[in-house]
Amino acid sequence: MATEIQIAAKKLACFNPATGELLHEFVCSGEAEVREAVARSRVWQLPWYELSVQKRIAILGKFQNLLHENKSEIAQAITRESGKPYVEALTTEVLVVLDATRFLIENAHRLLREEPVPHANLAMRTKAGRILRQPYGVVGVISPWNYPFSIPGTESLAALVAGNAVVLKPSEFTSMSALHVGSLLYEAGVPKDVFQVLPGDSGSGVALIGSGIDKLVFTGSVPTGKRIAQLAAARFLPVVLELGGKDAMLVLDDADLEVASSGAIWGAFVNAGQACLSVERCYVQRSVHDAFLAAVVNKTQRLRVGNGMNPEIDMGPMIHRRQLEIVEQHVEDARTRGARVVTGGTRLPELGPNFYAPTVLADVTHEMRIMREETFGPVLPILAFDTEDEAVQLANDSEFGLGASIFTRDRARGEALARRLAAGTVLINDVVCGFGISEAPHGGVKSSGIGRTHGSFGLEEMVTIKYVASDRLPGIKKAWWFPYGAAFTRQIEGLLDMQFAASLKHRVQGARRAAGCLFGKKL
Ligand code: NAD
């Protein structure tokens, strides 16, 4: 099948998922190449860090201008490689990176600056403490195909502005989009060895983990994430793992059904359902279930599916046949266990090799794969619930915990429910778009991952925290040094009483006994 990656003599070939056309061939990066790239990055990382955060921010400013100037060309390249509609390439890829750059330009200096640490402990008040946020060194980024520009772009920019060098191993299906991040960064002034893109497959990813990098930011599936966590644990390699999701959408009985039904179909079918934050399960309060289902089906049947380069389509193809087959298996499993395929449920071979109709399922149960495993395709299964407690129990009955959404006209009701959902992000009256909010941390709980990207928490993942304390009385020996002795022990007891005794009387007595304790050491 033309849309599958073909690996022959360490070559990777990428195809347009809408047409099957061959787009590029790449040499797959081998272990030695990966190791050499990381070694080069290590040499260049220190001067990059010493350049100062202001100068790195200035380079990000140039990057932002260049990306804006070249937005159409880049969005078209993303569409050709990933299949998503051109307008989605503009909004969920180019715009997301432009805005993440804006966030870093506006905030990186403040978020990365040194911070004084006041000491309340009497014995330590003579020290001036500071927190330094320093780069890890070389950060490895391994990224997936579904957002092939914005995921490696936003993660790499945060790592770079913090003073790290980056070695990026993009998905074998979408290397070109990642290489565009590199060409813009180089033109903006990032040295070639400070940011390197190594096209490659899973073996290249394994090689990167073993190459001596100082931190790994991985985005991909749960099974790969688990394998990576094991490899990283053996090396004590710190990791951020942004993994899969099975996001629940709750539609409460007071929701605006016109809005909620539009939100549901966008949440389920944006990027042909291949978003980590896709709406993959929809729970609707029973009194509005039938009206909601009817609205969803009606709107789904009006969606236009086709080549993403055509501005008149809403949904493109799936990335490759393997992903399409997973969707078919989940729908078939649901069908044989009693689910109703209300609309869709078929391939659309007349459009191209990887097209699947936007699909709505009713009468689903939690025994079905469609409600338990990540489907990652254009399928919206809908299930009725009676009470809020039941909705929370159903939403949390999942190994995943990436995102969730709640539709209600009552904000307080929505926010109260949000606290009870096991998810990294909960949106009220919207879906999916948390990834595009540059200030918002992105990441999950349970099997959906470890750590965060984006916003201040994402930037914090790119630095190590170092504490430095300078003693302001360098000519004085410290009380807690040798020698010990009975008198000194009594003074220490007094010191403890002085600070922590419950009554004022005991604190005053303690202060008398402690007198002189902090000074006058002989050794
Ligand atoms: P994947 O896990 O198959 O591959 C992701 C990346 O890991 C690719 O670059 C791949 O070459 C590499 N890789 C594969 N095996 C590896 C190994 N053993 N060691 C090192 N690297 C390895 O995922 P995918 O199919 O590319 O992407 C889809 C998945 O990504 C979905 O599960 C989706 O939910 C998830 N995802 C998560 C987020 C998030 O932010 N949480 C965002 C986008 C996608």
Side-chain angles (χ1 to χ4, degrees):
M1 185 73 197
T3 50
E4 290 294 351
I5 285 288
Q6 294 164 355
I7 302 173
K10 286 285 170 193
K11 278 230 168 150
L12 304 172
C14 297
F15 298 89
N16 182 329
T19 62
E21 169 204 2
L22 174 67
L23 293 174
H24 338 275
E25 283 190 304
F26 296 99
V27 175
C28 181
S29 304
E31 197 180 332
E33 241 175 308
V34 172
R35 215 177 319 111
E36 282 158 24
V38 171
R40 280 197 307 277
S41 278
R42 192 167 298 294
V43 171
W44 279 84
Q45 184 265 326
L46 193 58
W48 173 248
Y49 173 47
E50 287 174 348
L51 197 63
S52 86
V53 68
Q54 287 92 336
K55 289 197 176 135
R56 293 196 295 276
I57 285 174
I59 290 174
L60 255 55
K62 288 187 198 147
F63 168 86
Q64 192 185 39
N65 290 339
L66 288 164
L67 174 54
H68 176 252
E69 282 163 19
N70 293 284
K71 59 185 181 302
S72 308
E73 185 203 327
I74 286 173
Q76 282 173 23
I78 294 168
T79 291
R80 273 195 297 276
E81 200 172 50
S82 68
K84 67 187 60 185
Y86 171 73
V87 71
E88 281 183 24
L90 281 176
T91 53
T92 65
E93 304 268 8
V94 173
L95 173 60
V96 165
V97 176
L98 282 172
D99 198 61
T101 313
R102 189 267 314 150
F103 172 82
L104 293 172
I105 290 170
E106 288 175 1
N107 297 290
H109 187 260
R110 175 179 58 84
L111 294 170
L112 294 170
R113 77 178 164 211
E114 292 183 19
E115 215 179 282
V117 182
H119 304 141
N121 180 334
L122 191 63
M124 298 301 161
R125 279 193 194 162
T126 61
K127 296 183 192 312
R130 304 191 79 72
I131 295 290
L132 312 187
R133 291 182 167 80
Q134 295 188 307
Y136 273 92
V138 181
V139 172
V141 174
I142 299 180
S143 56
W145 47 262
N146 65 329
Y147 288 96
F149 187 78
S150 58
I151 289 175
T154 54
E155 292 170 354
S156 300
L157 287 165
L160 288 170
V161 80
N164 299 283
V166 172
V167 177
L168 163 64
K169 204 299 286 175
S171 166
E172 48 273 55
F173 299 100
T174 52
S175 310
M176 206 61 218
S177 302
L179 286 163
H180 275 298
V181 179
S183 49
L184 293 172
L185 284 172
Y186 304 144
E187 205 177 330
V190 176
K192 286 232 155 91
D193 287 329
V194 167
F195 180 79
Q196 299 183 69
V197 183
L198 302 181
D201 59 6
S202 59
S204 318
V206 171
L208 184 59
I209 296 163
S211 66
I213 51 172
D214 303 295
K215 175 130 189 180
L216 176 71
V217 182
F218 170 77
T219 309
S221 63
V222 171
T224 310
K226 285 184 176 166
R227 280 196 288 278
I228 285 180
Q230 285 172 348
L231 291 175
R235 292 169 172 76
F236 274 141
L237 174 65
V239 289
V240 172
L241 300 174
E242 292 284 7
L243 308 180
K246 189 76 196 167
D247 289 10
M249 170 175 173
L250 309 187
V251 182
L252 307 187
D253 52 8
D254 66 346
D256 182 328
L257 296 189
E258 174 56 23
V259 171
S261 54
S262 292
I265 64 161
W266 187 73
F269 306 137
V270 62
N271 203 18
Q274 302 165 115
C276 54
L277 292 162
S278 288
V279 173
E280 291 230 349
R281 300 176 285 152
C282 186
Y283 303 98
V284 187
Q285 205 144 15
R286 199 172 302 279
S287 58
V288 294
H289 173 273
D290 292 354
F292 175 82
L293 179 63
V296 160
V297 170
N298 180 277
K299 290 176 185 182
T300 301
Q301 288 170 343
R302 298 207 314 259
L303 290 175
R304 297 151 305 170
V305 184
N307 188 320
M309 296 304 273
N310 176 355
E312 300 304 324
I313 66 105
D314 302 301
M315 196 183 97
M318 312 216 47
I319 187 75
H320 49 52
R321 195 182 53 191
R322 193 152 34 91
Q323 195 58 45
L324 190 145
E325 285 167 357
I326 293 170
V327 173
E328 281 183 326
Q329 287 160 14
H330 285 198
V331 171
E332 199 41 43
D333 172 77
R335 210 192 306 249
T336 54
R337 289 173 190 247
R340 196 156 42 97
V341 180
V342 194
T343 186
T346 53
R347 289 189 192 201
L348 301 171
E350 65 281 13
L351 297 178
N354 298 316
F355 286 92
Y356 194 84
T359 298
V360 179
L361 303 181
D363 304 333
V364 291
T365 69
H366 265 217
E367 282 66 54
M368 298 171 183
R369 294 178 69 190
I370 201 81
M371 298 302 272
R372 306 215 70 83
E373 299 173 27
E374 189 179 39
T375 307
F376 224 53
V379 184
L380 179 62
I382 299 178
L383 178 59
F385 68 87
D386 289 303
T387 64
E388 287 183 12
D389 285 349
E390 188 189 353
V392 169
Q393 186 272 323
L394 286 165
N396 290 345
D397 177 23
S398 174
E399 117 178 66
F400 300 94
L402 193 57
S405 56
I406 301 167
F407 279 73
T408 171
R409 284 193 173 92
D410 181 342
R411 182 171 161 185
R413 189 180 176 199
E415 290 189 2
L417 263 188
R419 291 172 191 278
R420 301 174 63 192
L421 297 182
T425 296
V426 181
L427 299 181
I428 296 165
N429 293 320
D430 202 351
V431 287
V432 181
C433 70
F435 185 78
I437 302 172
S438 301
E439 288 74 17
H442 173 65
V445 298
K446 301 199 271 185
S447 289
S448 290
I450 297 171
R452 294 291 181 268
T453 56
H454 294 194
S456 58
F457 291 94
L459 190 57
E460 196 86 345
E461 295 276 8
M462 303 301 180
V463 290
T464 58
I465 301 297
K466 184 181 283 177
Y467 169 73
V468 176
S470 291
D471 202 276
R472 293 194 190 94
L473 300 173
I476 290 179
K477 293 174 189 169
K478 308 305 169 230
W480 46 93
W481 296 357
F482 299 131
Y484 300 152
F488 176 64
T489 304
R490 276 194 302 280
Q491 285 177 325
I492 289 296
E493 283 171 351
L495 192 73
L496 296 184
D497 288 350
M498 183 182 109
Q499 285 202 76
F500 299 108
S503 74
L504 180 63
K505 185 176 143 202
H506 283 108
R507 286 208 293 275
V508 172
Q509 286 170 352
R512 282 201 198 106
R513 274 191 291 148
C517 145
L518 296 179
F519 304 101
K521 276 278 169 179
K522 291 205 180 75
L523 272 181

